[in-house]
Amino acid sequence: MRDRIPHEIVASVLAGLTAFIGGTAWNLPPWAIFVSWAGTFALGGPSLINARKLWFAMPAGSTFAMLIVIADQHIGTAFGHSRFAQDAMLALIILVINSALMYTGRIRYFALIPGMFFGFASYFATFFGGFGFHSGNVLAAWVSVVAMNFLGPIFAYLSTKLAFPRPVSAPSAAPAAPGAVAEAV
């Protein structure tokens, strides 16, 4: 296939459009689209199968990340108020919740563990970056990042379809001279 419009141009136009999606009053994280857009191509390219894998895995990862934030907000100082004590509690919270995330990867619908980590990292960046329609709200960050991660596979699909690919015929082999012996490859 050969693109009628270079993929680099189509992808760049689509990337530019994310500014209008993220630059709204909702303060959505446009980069979360890029995370799942790249994840789509890491899976082999746009397809409904790959999109579904990401659409199940990424929200699951974001959910586990949200649980870490909630647990840290509620019990983060259980070992004390020193930086070391808070870090020790956070390490314990991450150990428990991340273990649950990894075991969830054994369930067929959530088996794309890298996809869960795309959602996991996207959630932390959204929450701690102050993104979302209500900055600092754990649920608003979750809704915002899940919506934006959802768009990534769609943008990946559009980046290939809007290039208007066309089939390219294979070059034909020159006919062999009469009486010639074909070479063994």
Side-chain angles (χ1 to χ4, degrees), residues 118-143:
F118 293 156
F120 191 79
S122 293
Y123 179 84
F124 286 131
T126 300
F127 181 78
F128 292 113
F131 288 92
F133 57 87
H134 188 268
S135 182
N137 180 293
V138 293
L139 189 56
W142 186 87
V143 169

Side-chain angles (χ1 to χ4, degrees), residues 48-167:
L48 189 55
I49 291 170
N50 289 342
R52 282 184 182 154
K53 287 178 184 179
L54 287 166
W55 289 336
F56 278 107
M58 288 183 303
S62 292
T63 301
F64 283 103
M66 181 177 66
L67 292 174
I68 289 172
V69 169
I70 291 169
D72 187 53
Q73 288 176 342
H74 287 86
I75 62 171
T77 57
F79 290 164
H81 291 278
S82 72
R83 181 79 265 158
F84 181 79
Q86 290 178 30
D87 289 347
M89 177 50 78
L90 180 58
L92 181 59
I93 292 168
I94 292 170
L95 170 72
V96 171
I97 295 176
N98 193 69
S99 295
L101 178 148
M102 298 295 288
Y103 275 107
T104 300
R106 293 182 179 203
I107 299 169
R108 183 172 62 100
Y109 290 110
F110 306 109
L112 184 63
I113 292 175
M116 282 200 285
F117 278 99
F118 293 156
F120 191 79
S122 293
Y123 179 84
F124 286 131
T126 300
F127 181 78
F128 292 113
F131 288 92
F133 57 87
H134 188 268
S135 182
N137 180 293
V138 293
L139 189 56
W142 186 87
V143 169
S144 298
V145 77
V146 167
M148 296 302 271
N149 278 156
F150 181 85
L151 292 175
I154 295 168
F155 272 62
Y157 173 80
L158 290 173
S159 73
T160 59
K161 292 303 174 195
L162 295 177
F164 301 105
R166 65 174 188 243

